[in-house]
Amino acid sequence: DQQVKQNSPSLSVQEGRISILNCDYTNSMFDYFLWYKKYPAEGPTFLISISSIKDKNEDGRFTVFLNKSAKHLSLHIVPSQPGDSAVYFCAASGGTNFGNEKLTFGTGTRLTIIP
Amino acid sequence: NAGVTQTPKFQVLKTGQSMTLQCAQDMNHEYMSWYRQDPGMGLRLIHYSVGAGITDQGEVPNGYNVSRSTTEDFPLRLLSAAPSQTSVYFCASSYGVVGGYEQFFGPGTRLTVL
């Protein structure tokens, strides 16, 4: 049972345009969400996160939106750059209690920025 | 700081062999974990530890053992390798709840079981 879903395996976007990556979750106990970026032959690197008490978090070109009622979050990248070409993983964590730090990951979306 | 280091980078095993994947971090993180990444499956949690001497199972623990005798090290042992364990393995660490959920990942170990 996939609790975190990324339904688009791949996405291609023109350089300079907006990239929008989507993620859906089913577990209502998740209260913290993260996006990771992964280049080939490297480990994932943390990009941006959002707590369930917020609906938006912004960091430079990256913005994450959270819609709790729809159990949906999205990552916006504006403007998209060639270096953004990577696989993006959505991840969720289920609570603020000690021991709940473990993450559940989605299957990833491969983003390709076209020059 | 070296961050999270993993050895070896690549490994080929025969079915039935055992081996240990090494993971170390120099950030004094309490929380450490092991994931495997398979095509179309994302990253799945194998085992995790919230501190020295404390470990617990994740989503796919069968066939793997872990121990955490120090804060820095969190080795993953394959008891009797099977072809289904062919995967890329990532170790990660974080401060935990107090410091946030952001986990730092190592570069990965690519394991092939023949």
Side-chain angles (χ1 to χ4, degrees):
Chain A
D1 177 31
Q2 193 76 23
Q3 298 186 69
V4 178
K5 301 177 186 179
Q6 294 177 258
N7 292 320
S8 298
S10 62
L11 176 67
S12 294
V13 174
Q14 207 78 29
E15 181 179 358
R17 305 293 293 266
I18 182 172
S19 295
I20 300 176
L21 293 90
N22 293 304
C23 177
D24 297 294
Y25 62 96
T26 58
N27 189 339
S28 57
M29 295 300 293
F30 288 147
D31 65 358
Y32 197 81
F33 304 90
L34 308 90
W35 285 94
Y36 280 83
K37 176 179 179 179
K38 185 183 180 305
Y39 291 120
E42 294 183 11
T45 54
F46 169 74
L47 196 56
I48 192 169
S49 62
I50 188 167
S51 165
S52 61
I53 63 173
K54 295 185 175 182
D55 55 18
K56 176 183 173 181
N57 189 26
E58 198 169 349
D59 183 2
R61 295 187 297 115
F62 302 92
T63 303
V64 56
F65 296 91
L66 175 62
N67 182 334
K68 281 177 59 180
S69 61
K71 294 192 177 68
H72 176 84
L73 63 154
S74 60
L75 173 69
H76 292 211
I77 306 173
V78 182
S80 300
Q81 298 175 354
D84 296 329
S85 294
V87 177
Y88 289 78
F89 290 99
C90 172
S93 182
T96 53
N97 295 322
F98 183 71
N100 283 337
E101 301 91 335
K102 50 187 176 179
L103 299 177
T104 301
F105 281 83
T107 52
T109 296
R110 181 178 302 278
L111 176 65
T112 302
I113 305 303
I114 304 164
Chain B
N1 286 353
V4 180
T5 57
Q6 292 183 237
T7 55
K9 282 190 174 358
F10 302 93
Q11 183 69 50
V12 178
L13 292 178
K14 294 182 179 177
T15 297
Q17 287 184 314
S18 62
M19 80 158 294
T20 299
L21 279 63
Q22 301 292 344
C23 174
Q25 53 90 10
D26 60 359
M27 297 173 282
N28 203 31
H29 285 169
E30 288 297 322
Y31 183 82
M32 295 186 74
S33 54
W34 277 101
Y35 295 87
R36 59 178 288 173
Q37 185 192 10
D38 301 294
M41 300 289 289
L43 283 85
R44 293 182 292 168
L45 183 65
I46 304 171
H47 284 284
Y48 66 99
S49 168
V50 299
I54 307 170
T55 64
D56 205 348
Q57 297 181 350
E59 182 185 354
V60 288
N62 291 341
Y64 307 95
N65 268 0
V66 292
S67 60
R68 183 97 179 269
S69 56
T70 67
T71 299
E72 294 78 20
D73 301 297
F74 190 43
L76 178 72
R77 282 181 287 277
L78 278 70
L79 309 172
S80 176
S84 61
Q85 293 179 305
T86 293
S87 187
V88 182
Y89 292 84
F90 291 102
C91 178
S93 73
S94 71
Y95 287 108
V97 169
V98 173
Y101 295 94
E102 294 82 357
Q103 293 189 21
F104 296 83
F105 283 81
T109 294
R110 184 174 293 274
L111 175 68
T112 302
V113 182
L114 303 174

